[in-house]
Amino acid sequence: MTAETNRQFLLAKRPVGAATRDTFTFQQVPVAKPGKGQIVVKNQYLSLDPAMRGWMNEGKSYIAPVGLGEVMRALGVGQVIASEHPGFAVGDYVNGALGVQDYFVGEPRGFYKVDPKLAPLPVYLSALGMTGMTAYFALLEVGAPKAGDTVVISGAAGAVGSIAGQIAKLKGCRVVGIAGGEHKCKLLIEELGFDGAIDYKSEDVIAGLKRECPKGVDVFFDNVGGDILDAVLSRLNFKARVVICGAISQYNNKEAVKGPANYLSLLVNRARMEGFVVMDYADRYTGAGQEMAGWLAKGQLKSKEHIVEGLETFPETLMKLFSGENFGKLILKV
């Protein structure tokens, strides 16, 4: 290895409301040499996810928060350039928690190898990565759609929603996406094969649900929370399933999270609302990845990536998730 500089974004403080550039400390340090059992990865692409905002908060969650002064956590793909680990060789491409930096140095806990000859590296952060696994298991295991069901997806033009909707179509469902803006709604129908779309920015969501889901909603895959969750709860069918995959509308709240006022619809319709965390299905990723890869190869599933170049743009690029600027999976090219 030659001496290289590692640019890093560290968590400087726990934000109240939106994370901004001053939430992080930017530093440049020499790349360390690997110790026993460690590897050095030259990061190529980093996954930007709404969950990153939650990782900045203190308090109990499904994963420990990022510590103050630590490199901001991010999943990514890159190439091993030095190794003191028997399971990884120089030249291997890996997927893992690389962090918002140029180089990862450490033990490859939870890392796995990927093959850029089988799929472009960004796809291993979208359809063939945690995004795809989230869509697959949240929809099929928690939502449990049946052919003929009406499935509604919020955040439908985002990374997870766009894949979940396509999987629901593959399973024979009527799929309606809720997204922000005419352009996104058009792409859902014309490019991804959704049956209908509701533009929450320009129309009343309840009116849109009555138009697009005249027979009610059997499965609601929620990535947004807040008012949209409330609106869909009012249209549930008997024994409907509501999947709480995320609540991006609430992550930057300075006040308490807004809970659903229409929750009694769950009682009346004997419906179920269940939270989802993808790590609960880790032992089944391989099989799901193989099925997803098959759908991609056959053209039955499209993986949409929104790639922004430049590690230095990280704070502003992350905020695209919360302003709704991205279509598909938001990825930072290091």
Side-chain angles (χ1 to χ4, degrees):
M1 280 182 62
T2 57
E4 298 283 355
T5 298
N6 191 12
R7 298 173 298 163
Q8 300 177 316
F9 279 93
L10 315 180
L11 185 64
K13 62 183 181 181
R14 304 209 179 276
V16 177
T20 57
R21 182 165 281 271
D22 65 2
T23 302
F24 308 97
T25 299
F26 178 78
Q27 69 176 21
Q28 300 186 65
V29 297
V31 180
K33 292 183 178 179
K36 186 176 180 181
Q38 296 185 333
I39 61 174
V40 180
V41 179
K42 184 175 175 59
N43 300 343
Q44 295 194 15
Y45 295 94
L46 299 175
S47 174
L48 300 188
D49 301 290
M52 294 171 78
R53 178 60 187 81
W55 298 342
M56 299 177 202
N57 297 335
E58 259 184 327
K60 181 183 177 185
S61 186
Y62 62 90
I63 190 171
V66 177
L68 294 177
E70 291 181 358
V71 175
M72 182 60 206
R73 181 186 296 140
L75 298 176
V77 289
Q79 188 173 32
V80 178
I81 61 170
S83 178
E84 294 294 332
H85 190 290
F88 295 90
V90 171
D92 286 344
Y93 287 89
V94 296
N95 186 320
L98 301 178
V100 184
Q101 55 188 344
D102 288 303
Y103 296 89
F104 166 88
V105 183
E107 295 179 22
R109 294 176 184 164
F111 285 34
Y112 58 92
K113 297 175 189 177
V114 298
D115 188 346
K117 295 190 187 74
L118 297 179
L121 287 176
V123 177
Y124 289 106
L125 296 177
S126 53
L128 296 181
M130 284 301 122
T131 295
M133 297 301 100
T134 298
Y136 183 97
F137 288 109
L139 179 73
L140 299 181
E141 296 295 321
V142 182
K146 303 181 296 294
D149 278 353
T150 295
V151 176
V152 174
I153 316 270
S154 66
V160 172
S162 60
I163 294 176
Q166 292 180 81
I167 295 174
K169 282 297 297 178
L170 283 167
K171 298 300 180 181
C173 301
R174 172 176 173 77
V175 181
V176 175
I178 303 174
E182 181 183 356
H183 179 63
K184 286 184 177 180
C185 288
K186 186 177 179 182
L187 286 173
L188 289 178
I189 294 169
E190 295 182 359
E191 196 165 331
L192 302 185
F194 282 53
D195 297 290
I198 299 166
D199 180 0
Y200 74 84
K201 289 187 175 179
S202 68
E203 64 176 315
D204 178 74
V205 173
I206 291 179
L209 288 165
K210 288 178 180 177
R211 180 188 71 242
E212 299 294 343
C213 311
K215 296 181 180 178
V217 177
D218 299 297
V219 178
F220 178 43
F221 191 114
D222 189 25
N223 296 299
V224 172
D227 292 335
I228 288 178
L229 170 59
D230 240 359
V232 182
L233 286 176
S234 72
R235 301 291 298 167
L236 295 185
N237 284 336
F238 185 73
K239 291 288 186 180
R241 287 81 68 200
V242 178
V243 184
I244 303 298
C245 188
I248 197 169
S249 73
Q250 303 297 299
Y251 292 163
N252 289 324
N253 275 9
K254 295 182 181 179
E255 303 82 28
V257 168
K258 179 182 178 181
N262 288 334
Y263 78 95
L264 286 178
S265 177
L266 298 168
L267 183 157
V268 172
N269 293 295
R270 283 71 117 197
R272 169 169 56 84
M273 184 158 69
E274 184 175 335
F276 171 85
V277 174
V278 69
M279 291 182 291
D280 295 345
Y281 297 85
D283 61 338
R284 296 170 57 190
Y285 288 170
T286 301
Q290 289 171 347
E291 186 167 20
M292 298 276 280
W295 290 335
L296 284 167
K298 294 175 185 174
Q300 296 174 301
L301 180 68
K302 293 181 180 179
S303 183
K304 301 293 295 181
E305 293 86 39
H306 181 151
I307 299 175
V308 177
E309 292 201 27
L311 182 77
E312 67 281 359
T313 71
F314 163 67
E316 292 76 24
T317 303
L318 180 67
M319 290 313 299
K320 289 181 183 294
L321 292 168
F322 302 97
S323 59
E325 292 180 51
N326 62 301
F327 180 66
K329 176 74 194 135
L330 185 61
I331 293 173
L332 189 64
K333 183 177 181 182
V334 177

